[in-house]
Amino acid sequence: MPWIPRRLILALFLAWSALAFLVELSDTFTAFDRRETERADPIRWRFGVKQVEVLEQCLAEARQEIPPGSVVAFASPPSADTAAAAEFYRWRWAAYLLPEDDVLAISDPKAGELARYLIAHRQPIDLPRAEKVRQLTGCVLYRIRR
């Protein structure tokens, strides 16, 4: 009869292990299903997420209008909780996706002097020198008059 408790202990251990595995698996799939909403913050953006695809489309359309080597100002709305970081990361994505141009953040003091074009990503712009060139997917392209 000493072998019965060993089998019982083994069976309980296996049942507990299977339950723990299923709980972890459920948590993993739940997190995987929420990946789009969790990556809304630009700090967590990766290629393939919706926000990056919209920005890629916007900048691909802008590339057709902007001559290579131009200085481009980029404006985007701040996020509520990570305002400065969100603008910074969107600007860096824009600079990465427009490698043939010099992309400046709209907050850069030199942007007003140097930029010939302005891309407003999901943010309305009301500048007297900004002449709207074209409405793009997710953004607007402006030419800066001198």
mmCIF file of all heavy atoms in Angstrom, residues 53-66 97-98 100 119 134 136-137 139:
data_model
loop_
_atom_site.group_PDB
_atom_site.id
_atom_site.type_symbol
_atom_site.label_atom_id
_atom_site.label_comp_id
_atom_site.label_asym_id
_atom_site.label_seq_id
_atom_site.Cartn_x
_atom_site.Cartn_y
_atom_site.Cartn_z
ATOM 1 N N GLU A 53 1.697 51.339 -40.433
ATOM 2 C CA GLU A 53 1.257 51.181 -41.820
ATOM 3 C C GLU A 53 0.607 52.462 -42.344
ATOM 4 O O GLU A 53 0.819 52.854 -43.492
ATOM 5 C CB GLU A 53 0.308 49.999 -41.944
ATOM 6 C CG GLU A 53 1.010 48.667 -41.772
ATOM 7 C CD GLU A 53 0.061 47.484 -41.761
ATOM 8 O OE1 GLU A 53 -1.167 47.697 -41.765
ATOM 9 O OE2 GLU A 53 0.569 46.351 -41.726
ATOM 10 N N VAL A 54 -0.183 53.139 -41.505
ATOM 11 C CA VAL A 54 -0.806 54.410 -41.912
ATOM 12 C C VAL A 54 0.273 55.464 -42.147
ATOM 13 O O VAL A 54 0.246 56.196 -43.141
ATOM 14 C CB VAL A 54 -1.827 54.887 -40.855
ATOM 15 C CG1 VAL A 54 -2.268 56.315 -41.112
ATOM 16 C CG2 VAL A 54 -3.031 53.959 -40.821
ATOM 17 N N LEU A 55 1.256 55.538 -41.253
ATOM 18 C CA LEU A 55 2.338 56.497 -41.420
ATOM 19 C C LEU A 55 3.175 56.179 -42.660
ATOM 20 O O LEU A 55 3.560 57.079 -43.407
ATOM 21 C CB LEU A 55 3.217 56.533 -40.169
ATOM 22 C CG LEU A 55 4.318 57.589 -40.152
ATOM 23 C CD1 LEU A 55 3.742 58.985 -40.288
ATOM 24 C CD2 LEU A 55 5.142 57.472 -38.882
ATOM 25 N N GLU A 56 3.442 54.903 -42.899
ATOM 26 C CA GLU A 56 4.183 54.504 -44.107
ATOM 27 C C GLU A 56 3.439 54.927 -45.368
ATOM 28 O O GLU A 56 4.047 55.432 -46.316
ATOM 29 C CB GLU A 56 4.387 52.984 -44.130
ATOM 30 C CG GLU A 56 5.495 52.484 -43.245
ATOM 31 C CD GLU A 56 5.633 50.984 -43.305
ATOM 32 O OE1 GLU A 56 4.615 50.279 -43.162
ATOM 33 O OE2 GLU A 56 6.772 50.514 -43.485
ATOM 34 N N GLN A 57 2.124 54.706 -45.385
ATOM 35 C CA GLN A 57 1.313 55.093 -46.549
ATOM 36 C C GLN A 57 1.346 56.603 -46.757
ATOM 37 O O GLN A 57 1.514 57.086 -47.878
ATOM 38 C CB GLN A 57 -0.128 54.597 -46.370
ATOM 39 C CG GLN A 57 -1.049 54.952 -47.511
ATOM 40 C CD GLN A 57 -0.687 54.224 -48.791
ATOM 41 O OE1 GLN A 57 -0.174 53.116 -48.772
ATOM 42 N NE2 GLN A 57 -0.957 54.858 -49.919
ATOM 43 N N CYS A 58 1.203 57.341 -45.673
ATOM 44 C CA CYS A 58 1.240 58.808 -45.737
ATOM 45 C C CYS A 58 2.562 59.281 -46.324
ATOM 46 O O CYS A 58 2.594 60.102 -47.252
ATOM 47 C CB CYS A 58 1.043 59.377 -44.336
ATOM 48 S SG CYS A 58 1.615 61.068 -44.128
ATOM 49 N N LEU A 59 3.659 58.763 -45.814
ATOM 50 C CA LEU A 59 4.971 59.228 -46.251
ATOM 51 C C LEU A 59 5.320 58.742 -47.652
ATOM 52 O O LEU A 59 6.027 59.430 -48.390
ATOM 53 C CB LEU A 59 6.031 58.811 -45.233
ATOM 54 C CG LEU A 59 5.828 59.432 -43.836
ATOM 55 C CD1 LEU A 59 6.866 58.919 -42.864
ATOM 56 C CD2 LEU A 59 5.824 60.937 -43.887
ATOM 57 N N ALA A 60 4.809 57.586 -48.051
ATOM 58 C CA ALA A 60 5.015 57.120 -49.423
ATOM 59 C C ALA A 60 4.308 58.051 -50.412
ATOM 60 O O ALA A 60 4.850 58.371 -51.476
ATOM 61 C CB ALA A 60 4.504 55.693 -49.575
ATOM 62 N N GLU A 61 3.112 58.507 -50.048
ATOM 63 C CA GLU A 61 2.395 59.458 -50.904
ATOM 64 C C GLU A 61 3.093 60.818 -50.909
ATOM 65 O O GLU A 61 3.165 61.477 -51.949
ATOM 66 C CB GLU A 61 0.953 59.601 -50.427
ATOM 67 C CG GLU A 61 0.124 58.346 -50.620
ATOM 68 C CD GLU A 61 -1.248 58.434 -49.981
ATOM 69 O OE1 GLU A 61 -1.657 59.542 -49.560
ATOM 70 O OE2 GLU A 61 -1.935 57.395 -49.896
ATOM 71 N N ALA A 62 3.622 61.234 -49.765
ATOM 72 C CA ALA A 62 4.321 62.514 -49.684
ATOM 73 C C ALA A 62 5.615 62.475 -50.489
ATOM 74 O O ALA A 62 6.011 63.481 -51.098
ATOM 75 C CB ALA A 62 4.618 62.855 -48.225
ATOM 76 N N ARG A 63 6.273 61.340 -50.513
ATOM 77 C CA ARG A 63 7.538 61.181 -51.241
ATOM 78 C C ARG A 63 7.367 61.500 -52.730
ATOM 79 O O ARG A 63 8.289 61.969 -53.379
ATOM 80 C CB ARG A 63 8.060 59.758 -51.048
ATOM 81 C CG ARG A 63 9.467 59.554 -51.545
ATOM 82 C CD ARG A 63 10.003 58.162 -51.254
ATOM 83 N NE ARG A 63 10.189 57.980 -49.831
ATOM 84 C CZ ARG A 63 9.558 57.053 -49.110
ATOM 85 N NH1 ARG A 63 8.704 56.243 -49.670
ATOM 86 N NH2 ARG A 63 9.785 56.939 -47.823
ATOM 87 N N GLN A 64 6.163 61.256 -53.261
ATOM 88 C CA GLN A 64 5.901 61.541 -54.679
ATOM 89 C C GLN A 64 5.899 63.048 -54.962
ATOM 90 O O GLN A 64 6.160 63.459 -56.083
ATOM 91 C CB GLN A 64 4.560 60.933 -55.099
ATOM 92 C CG GLN A 64 4.537 59.427 -55.009
ATOM 93 C CD GLN A 64 3.142 58.861 -55.213
ATOM 94 O OE1 GLN A 64 2.183 59.592 -55.422
ATOM 95 N NE2 GLN A 64 3.029 57.544 -55.154
ATOM 96 N N GLU A 65 5.585 63.851 -53.959
ATOM 97 C CA GLU A 65 5.492 65.300 -54.130
ATOM 98 C C GLU A 65 6.754 66.044 -53.690
ATOM 99 O O GLU A 65 7.006 67.152 -54.138
ATOM 100 C CB GLU A 65 4.308 65.851 -53.314
ATOM 101 C CG GLU A 65 2.970 65.254 -53.667
ATOM 102 C CD GLU A 65 2.419 65.803 -54.971
ATOM 103 O OE1 GLU A 65 2.791 66.921 -55.354
ATOM 104 O OE2 GLU A 65 1.621 65.090 -55.603
ATOM 105 N N ILE A 66 7.532 65.446 -52.797
ATOM 106 C CA ILE A 66 8.684 66.122 -52.207
ATOM 107 C C ILE A 66 9.946 65.734 -52.973
ATOM 108 O O ILE A 66 10.247 64.544 -53.096
ATOM 109 C CB ILE A 66 8.838 65.733 -50.716
ATOM 110 C CG1 ILE A 66 7.594 66.144 -49.932
ATOM 111 C CG2 ILE A 66 10.075 66.367 -50.122
ATOM 112 C CD1 ILE A 66 7.573 65.634 -48.510
ATOM 113 N N LEU A 97 11.481 56.672 -42.235
ATOM 114 C CA LEU A 97 10.734 56.325 -43.439
ATOM 115 C C LEU A 97 10.953 57.308 -44.599
ATOM 116 O O LEU A 97 10.521 57.045 -45.714
ATOM 117 C CB LEU A 97 9.241 56.213 -43.105
ATOM 118 C CG LEU A 97 8.889 55.067 -42.149
ATOM 119 C CD1 LEU A 97 7.453 55.186 -41.673
ATOM 120 C CD2 LEU A 97 9.137 53.715 -42.800
ATOM 121 N N LEU A 98 11.599 58.434 -44.339
ATOM 122 C CA LEU A 98 11.971 59.387 -45.396
ATOM 123 C C LEU A 98 13.494 59.567 -45.391
ATOM 124 O O LEU A 98 14.015 60.655 -45.087
ATOM 125 C CB LEU A 98 11.292 60.744 -45.174
ATOM 126 C CG LEU A 98 9.805 60.845 -45.444
ATOM 127 C CD1 LEU A 98 9.274 62.208 -45.033
ATOM 128 C CD2 LEU A 98 9.505 60.576 -46.905
ATOM 129 N N GLU A 100 15.697 59.925 -47.652
ATOM 130 C CA GLU A 100 16.292 60.825 -48.646
ATOM 131 C C GLU A 100 16.098 62.303 -48.294
ATOM 132 O O GLU A 100 16.643 63.177 -48.957
ATOM 133 C CB GLU A 100 15.714 60.540 -50.043
ATOM 134 C CG GLU A 100 14.246 60.838 -50.191
ATOM 135 C CD GLU A 100 13.319 59.721 -49.703
ATOM 136 O OE1 GLU A 100 13.796 58.653 -49.286
ATOM 137 O OE2 GLU A 100 12.104 59.934 -49.736
ATOM 138 N N ILE A 119 4.701 68.120 -43.097
ATOM 139 C CA ILE A 119 3.760 67.001 -43.066
ATOM 140 C C ILE A 119 3.076 67.036 -41.711
ATOM 141 O O ILE A 119 3.734 66.941 -40.676
ATOM 142 C CB ILE A 119 4.479 65.650 -43.276
ATOM 143 C CG1 ILE A 119 5.129 65.622 -44.659
ATOM 144 C CG2 ILE A 119 3.492 64.500 -43.106
ATOM 145 C CD1 ILE A 119 5.982 64.405 -44.917
ATOM 146 N N ARG A 134 -1.593 68.759 -50.683
ATOM 147 C CA ARG A 134 -2.408 67.566 -50.910
ATOM 148 C C ARG A 134 -2.819 66.915 -49.601
ATOM 149 O O ARG A 134 -2.057 66.891 -48.645
ATOM 150 C CB ARG A 134 -1.555 66.575 -51.706
ATOM 151 C CG ARG A 134 -2.328 65.665 -52.590
ATOM 152 C CD ARG A 134 -1.395 64.882 -53.472
ATOM 153 N NE ARG A 134 -1.742 63.491 -53.257
ATOM 154 C CZ ARG A 134 -0.977 62.476 -53.563
ATOM 155 N NH1 ARG A 134 0.196 62.664 -54.085
ATOM 156 N NH2 ARG A 134 -1.377 61.253 -53.349
ATOM 157 N N LEU A 136 -3.299 63.568 -47.815
ATOM 158 C CA LEU A 136 -2.755 62.225 -47.959
ATOM 159 C C LEU A 136 -3.457 61.276 -47.001
ATOM 160 O O LEU A 136 -4.270 61.701 -46.185
ATOM 161 C CB LEU A 136 -1.246 62.242 -47.671
ATOM 162 C CG LEU A 136 -0.423 63.268 -48.447
ATOM 163 C CD1 LEU A 136 0.990 63.328 -47.914
ATOM 164 C CD2 LEU A 136 -0.427 62.952 -49.918
ATOM 165 N N THR A 137 -3.132 60.009 -47.074
ATOM 166 C CA THR A 137 -3.709 59.026 -46.157
ATOM 167 C C THR A 137 -3.174 59.271 -44.755
ATOM 168 O O THR A 137 -2.006 59.027 -44.487
ATOM 169 C CB THR A 137 -3.353 57.596 -46.602
ATOM 170 O OG1 THR A 137 -3.801 57.412 -47.938
ATOM 171 C CG2 THR A 137 -3.995 56.562 -45.692
ATOM 172 N N CYS A 139 -2.574 62.065 -43.211
ATOM 173 C CA CYS A 139 -1.825 63.297 -42.982
ATOM 174 C C CYS A 139 -2.080 64.287 -44.121
ATOM 175 O O CYS A 139 -2.756 63.966 -45.095
ATOM 176 C CB CYS A 139 -0.337 63.006 -42.832
ATOM 177 S SG CYS A 139 0.425 62.299 -44.288
#
